[in-house]
Amino acid sequence: MFSHVMIGTNDLDKAKTFYDQLLGTLEVRPARVDGHRIFYITKTGVFSVSKPINGEPATCANGGTIGFACNSPEQVDKWHEAGVAAGATSIEDPPGIRQGSGGKLYLAYLRDLDGNKICAMHRMPN
Protein backbone atom coordinates (compact mmCIF):
# COMPACT_ATOMS: atom_id res chain seq x y z
CA MET A 1 0.00 0.00 0.00
CA PHE A 2 2.77 2.49 0.88
CA SER A 3 5.81 3.28 -1.22
CA HIS A 4 7.62 5.12 1.56
CA VAL A 5 7.32 7.01 4.83
CA MET A 6 9.13 10.34 5.31
CA ILE A 7 9.48 12.40 8.47
CA GLY A 8 11.15 15.74 9.07
CA THR A 9 14.24 16.69 11.02
CA ASN A 10 16.02 19.89 11.96
CA ASP A 11 19.46 18.20 12.12
CA LEU A 12 20.12 15.66 9.39
CA ASP A 13 23.48 14.51 10.80
CA LYS A 14 22.01 13.79 14.25
CA ALA A 15 18.99 12.08 12.68
CA LYS A 16 21.26 9.85 10.56
CA THR A 17 23.35 8.82 13.56
CA PHE A 18 20.18 8.12 15.59
CA TYR A 19 18.34 6.13 12.91
CA ASP A 20 21.46 4.24 11.78
CA GLN A 21 21.79 2.94 15.36
CA LEU A 22 18.08 2.35 15.85
CA LEU A 23 17.34 0.64 12.54
CA GLY A 24 20.57 -1.35 12.75
CA THR A 25 18.78 -3.40 15.43
CA LEU A 26 16.31 -4.40 12.68
CA GLU A 27 19.18 -5.37 10.34
CA VAL A 28 18.67 -2.29 8.14
CA ARG A 29 21.80 -0.88 6.50
CA PRO A 30 22.92 2.69 7.31
CA ALA A 31 21.14 5.44 5.41
CA ARG A 32 22.03 6.64 1.97
CA VAL A 33 22.42 10.44 2.01
CA ASP A 34 20.82 12.41 -0.82
CA GLY A 35 21.36 16.11 -0.24
CA HIS A 36 18.90 17.21 2.45
CA ARG A 37 17.43 13.70 2.93
CA ILE A 38 18.49 10.24 4.09
CA PHE A 39 16.97 6.98 2.89
CA TYR A 40 16.73 3.51 4.44
CA ILE A 41 15.81 1.16 1.63
CA THR A 42 14.67 -2.41 2.31
CA LYS A 43 12.80 -5.12 0.43
CA THR A 44 9.60 -4.12 2.21
CA GLY A 45 9.73 -0.33 1.86
CA VAL A 46 11.58 2.94 2.28
CA PHE A 47 11.91 5.07 5.40
CA SER A 48 13.28 8.56 4.89
CA VAL A 49 14.19 11.55 7.04
CA SER A 50 14.34 15.00 5.45
CA LYS A 51 15.04 18.60 6.23
CA PRO A 52 11.86 20.39 5.10
CA ILE A 53 12.26 21.63 1.55
CA ASN A 54 10.27 24.80 2.32
CA GLY A 55 13.00 25.97 4.72
CA GLU A 56 10.64 26.04 7.70
CA PRO A 57 11.45 24.07 10.91
CA ALA A 58 10.46 20.41 11.02
CA THR A 59 7.68 19.56 13.46
CA CYS A 60 6.30 16.23 14.61
CA ALA A 61 2.79 15.04 13.80
CA ASN A 62 0.33 15.29 16.67
CA GLY A 63 -1.41 11.91 16.72
CA GLY A 64 0.98 10.37 14.19
CA THR A 65 3.04 7.23 14.80
CA ILE A 66 5.52 5.43 12.56
CA GLY A 67 5.67 1.68 13.33
CA PHE A 68 8.60 -0.64 12.59
CA ALA A 69 7.98 -4.39 12.27
CA CYS A 70 10.14 -6.66 14.42
CA ASN A 71 10.79 -10.41 14.31
CA SER A 72 10.60 -11.03 18.06
CA PRO A 73 10.00 -9.40 21.44
CA GLU A 74 13.78 -9.47 21.94
CA GLN A 75 14.26 -7.42 18.77
CA VAL A 76 11.68 -4.90 20.04
CA ASP A 77 13.65 -4.63 23.30
CA LYS A 78 16.96 -4.13 21.43
CA TRP A 79 15.33 -1.45 19.26
CA HIS A 80 14.02 0.35 22.36
CA GLU A 81 17.35 0.11 24.20
CA ALA A 82 19.27 1.38 21.15
CA GLY A 83 16.87 4.29 20.76
CA VAL A 84 17.15 5.38 24.39
CA ALA A 85 20.95 5.03 24.25
CA ALA A 86 20.99 7.24 21.12
CA GLY A 87 18.97 9.99 22.79
CA ALA A 88 15.30 9.06 22.27
CA THR A 89 12.73 9.40 25.03
CA SER A 90 10.83 6.29 26.11
CA ILE A 91 7.10 7.04 26.16
CA GLU A 92 3.84 5.35 27.10
CA ASP A 93 4.13 2.03 28.93
CA PRO A 94 7.44 0.14 29.10
CA PRO A 95 8.02 -2.35 26.25
CA GLY A 96 5.68 -5.29 26.60
CA ILE A 97 2.57 -7.15 25.50
CA ARG A 98 -0.62 -5.24 24.75
CA GLN A 99 -3.88 -7.01 23.99
CA GLY A 100 -6.05 -5.34 21.38
CA SER A 101 -8.64 -6.09 18.74
CA GLY A 102 -5.80 -7.21 16.44
CA GLY A 103 -4.55 -9.78 18.97
CA LYS A 104 -1.48 -9.74 21.21
CA LEU A 105 1.22 -7.28 20.25
CA TYR A 106 4.64 -6.73 21.80
CA LEU A 107 5.21 -2.97 21.57
CA ALA A 108 7.69 -0.25 22.49
CA TYR A 109 7.31 3.49 21.89
CA LEU A 110 9.85 6.30 21.60
CA ARG A 111 10.03 9.98 20.69
CA ASP A 112 12.99 10.52 18.37
CA LEU A 113 15.34 13.52 18.55
CA ASP A 114 12.82 15.72 16.69
CA GLY A 115 9.80 14.55 18.72
CA ASN A 116 8.41 12.09 16.16
CA LYS A 117 6.52 9.20 17.78
CA ILE A 118 7.94 5.87 16.65
CA CYS A 119 7.03 2.32 17.60
CA ALA A 120 8.50 -1.16 17.34
CA MET A 121 5.95 -3.97 17.04
CA HIS A 122 5.98 -7.77 17.02
CA ARG A 123 2.72 -9.67 16.51
CA MET A 124 2.55 -12.43 19.12
CA PRO A 125 1.12 -15.86 18.30
CA ASN A 126 -2.51 -16.18 19.39
PDB file of all heavy atoms in Angstrom, residues 50-65:
ATOM      1  N   SER A  50      14.026  13.869   6.319  1.00  0.00           N
ATOM      2  CA  SER A  50      14.342  14.998   5.450  1.00  0.00           C
ATOM      3  C   SER A  50      14.297  16.323   6.197  1.00  0.00           C
ATOM      4  O   SER A  50      13.458  16.517   7.073  1.00  0.00           O
ATOM      5  CB  SER A  50      13.314  15.049   4.306  1.00  0.00           C
ATOM      6  OG  SER A  50      13.524  16.161   3.473  1.00  0.00           O
ATOM      7  N   LYS A  51      15.201  17.212   5.826  1.00  0.00           N
ATOM      8  CA  LYS A  51      15.038  18.598   6.231  1.00  0.00           C
ATOM      9  C   LYS A  51      13.908  19.145   5.355  1.00  0.00           C
ATOM     10  O   LYS A  51      13.870  18.860   4.157  1.00  0.00           O
ATOM     11  CB  LYS A  51      16.330  19.378   6.018  1.00  0.00           C
ATOM     12  CG  LYS A  51      17.438  18.924   6.967  1.00  0.00           C
ATOM     13  CD  LYS A  51      18.620  19.822   6.876  1.00  0.00           C
ATOM     14  CE  LYS A  51      18.352  20.974   7.803  1.00  0.00           C
ATOM     15  NZ  LYS A  51      19.526  21.808   8.071  1.00  0.00           N
ATOM     16  N   PRO A  52      12.964  19.891   5.905  1.00  0.00           N
ATOM     17  CA  PRO A  52      11.858  20.388   5.105  1.00  0.00           C
ATOM     18  C   PRO A  52      12.347  21.222   3.911  1.00  0.00           C
ATOM     19  O   PRO A  52      13.197  22.099   4.073  1.00  0.00           O
ATOM     20  CB  PRO A  52      11.055  21.243   6.082  1.00  0.00           C
ATOM     21  CG  PRO A  52      11.364  20.651   7.417  1.00  0.00           C
ATOM     22  CD  PRO A  52      12.808  20.239   7.327  1.00  0.00           C
ATOM     23  N   ILE A  53      11.802  20.944   2.748  1.00  0.00           N
ATOM     24  CA  ILE A  53      12.257  21.634   1.549  1.00  0.00           C
ATOM     25  C   ILE A  53      11.742  23.074   1.477  1.00  0.00           C
ATOM     26  O   ILE A  53      12.263  23.864   0.707  1.00  0.00           O
ATOM     27  CB  ILE A  53      11.896  20.862   0.261  1.00  0.00           C
ATOM     28  CG1 ILE A  53      10.392  20.661   0.134  1.00  0.00           C
ATOM     29  CG2 ILE A  53      12.640  19.548   0.204  1.00  0.00           C
ATOM     30  CD1 ILE A  53       9.970  20.020  -1.172  1.00  0.00           C
ATOM     31  N   ASN A  54      10.763  23.420   2.319  1.00  0.00           N
ATOM     32  CA  ASN A  54      10.265  24.795   2.318  1.00  0.00           C
ATOM     33  C   ASN A  54      11.090  25.713   3.209  1.00  0.00           C
ATOM     34  O   ASN A  54      10.793  26.898   3.333  1.00  0.00           O
ATOM     35  CB  ASN A  54       8.790  24.846   2.722  1.00  0.00           C
ATOM     36  CG  ASN A  54       8.543  24.429   4.160  1.00  0.00           C
ATOM     37  OD1 ASN A  54       9.468  24.108   4.908  1.00  0.00           O
ATOM     38  ND2 ASN A  54       7.285  24.415   4.553  1.00  0.00           N
ATOM     39  N   GLY A  55      12.129  25.164   3.872  1.00  0.00           N
ATOM     40  CA  GLY A  55      13.002  25.968   4.717  1.00  0.00           C
ATOM     41  C   GLY A  55      12.460  26.254   6.104  1.00  0.00           C
ATOM     42  O   GLY A  55      13.152  26.833   6.939  1.00  0.00           O
ATOM     43  N   GLU A  56      11.234  25.845   6.378  1.00  0.00           N
ATOM     44  CA  GLU A  56      10.639  26.037   7.701  1.00  0.00           C
ATOM     45  C   GLU A  56      11.134  24.932   8.641  1.00  0.00           C
ATOM     46  O   GLU A  56      11.580  23.877   8.193  1.00  0.00           O
ATOM     47  CB  GLU A  56       9.110  25.987   7.610  1.00  0.00           C
ATOM     48  CG  GLU A  56       8.509  27.111   6.786  1.00  0.00           C
ATOM     49  CD  GLU A  56       8.684  28.459   7.429  1.00  0.00           C
ATOM     50  OE1 GLU A  56       8.550  28.566   8.662  1.00  0.00           O
ATOM     51  OE2 GLU A  56       8.964  29.423   6.683  1.00  0.00           O
ATOM     52  N   PRO A  57      11.043  25.125   9.972  1.00  0.00           N
ATOM     53  CA  PRO A  57      11.454  24.073  10.910  1.00  0.00           C
ATOM     54  C   PRO A  57      10.589  22.819  10.780  1.00  0.00           C
ATOM     55  O   PRO A  57       9.385  22.907  10.507  1.00  0.00           O
ATOM     56  CB  PRO A  57      11.250  24.710  12.293  1.00  0.00           C
ATOM     57  CG  PRO A  57      11.193  26.179  12.047  1.00  0.00           C
ATOM     58  CD  PRO A  57      10.639  26.351  10.662  1.00  0.00           C
ATOM     59  N   ALA A  58      11.200  21.676  10.980  1.00  0.00           N
ATOM     60  CA  ALA A  58      10.461  20.411  11.019  1.00  0.00           C
ATOM     61  C   ALA A  58       9.689  20.339  12.325  1.00  0.00           C
ATOM     62  O   ALA A  58      10.170  20.787  13.368  1.00  0.00           O
ATOM     63  CB  ALA A  58      11.421  19.227  10.929  1.00  0.00           C
ATOM     64  N   THR A  59       8.485  19.793  12.266  1.00  0.00           N
ATOM     65  CA  THR A  59       7.680  19.559  13.460  1.00  0.00           C
ATOM     66  C   THR A  59       7.149  18.133  13.408  1.00  0.00           C
ATOM     67  O   THR A  59       7.042  17.541  12.335  1.00  0.00           O
ATOM     68  CB  THR A  59       6.495  20.543  13.548  1.00  0.00           C
ATOM     69  OG1 THR A  59       5.680  20.391  12.393  1.00  0.00           O
ATOM     70  CG2 THR A  59       6.969  21.985  13.648  1.00  0.00           C
ATOM     71  N   CYS A  60       6.833  17.588  14.575  1.00  0.00           N
ATOM     72  CA  CYS A  60       6.305  16.226  14.610  1.00  0.00           C
ATOM     73  C   CYS A  60       4.786  16.253  14.454  1.00  0.00           C
ATOM     74  O   CYS A  60       4.140  17.262  14.726  1.00  0.00           O
ATOM     75  CB  CYS A  60       6.698  15.523  15.907  1.00  0.00           C
ATOM     76  SG  CYS A  60       6.174  16.384  17.397  1.00  0.00           S
ATOM     77  N   ALA A  61       4.239  15.138  14.010  1.00  0.00           N
ATOM     78  CA  ALA A  61       2.792  15.036  13.803  1.00  0.00           C
ATOM     79  C   ALA A  61       2.100  14.740  15.127  1.00  0.00           C
ATOM     80  O   ALA A  61       2.459  13.792  15.819  1.00  0.00           O
ATOM     81  CB  ALA A  61       2.490  13.918  12.814  1.00  0.00           C
ATOM     82  N   ASN A  62       1.107  15.546  15.471  1.00  0.00           N
ATOM     83  CA  ASN A  62       0.327  15.289  16.671  1.00  0.00           C
ATOM     84  C   ASN A  62      -0.677  14.187  16.342  1.00  0.00           C
ATOM     85  O   ASN A  62      -1.535  14.359  15.487  1.00  0.00           O
ATOM     86  CB  ASN A  62      -0.396  16.562  17.108  1.00  0.00           C
ATOM     87  CG  ASN A  62      -1.118  16.381  18.418  1.00  0.00           C
ATOM     88  OD1 ASN A  62      -0.808  15.470  19.179  1.00  0.00           O
ATOM     89  ND2 ASN A  62      -2.086  17.230  18.680  1.00  0.00           N
ATOM     90  N   GLY A  63      -0.546  13.048  16.993  1.00  0.00           N
ATOM     91  CA  GLY A  63      -1.406  11.906  16.722  1.00  0.00           C
ATOM     92  C   GLY A  63      -0.806  10.921  15.734  1.00  0.00           C
ATOM     93  O   GLY A  63      -1.369   9.864  15.492  1.00  0.00           O
ATOM     94  N   GLY A  64       0.337  11.257  15.147  1.00  0.00           N
ATOM     95  CA  GLY A  64       0.979  10.370  14.185  1.00  0.00           C
ATOM     96  C   GLY A  64       1.966   9.431  14.855  1.00  0.00           C
ATOM     97  O   GLY A  64       2.605   9.794  15.840  1.00  0.00           O
ATOM     98  N   THR A  65       2.077   8.213  14.331  1.00  0.00           N
ATOM     99  CA  THR A  65       3.044   7.235  14.803  1.00  0.00           C
ATOM    100  C   THR A  65       3.588   6.480  13.601  1.00  0.00           C
ATOM    101  O   THR A  65       2.821   6.088  12.719  1.00  0.00           O
ATOM    102  CB  THR A  65       2.397   6.212  15.766  1.00  0.00           C
ATOM    103  OG1 THR A  65       1.816   6.900  16.858  1.00  0.00           O
ATOM    104  CG2 THR A  65       3.416   5.207  16.286  1.00  0.00           C
TER     105      THR A  65
END
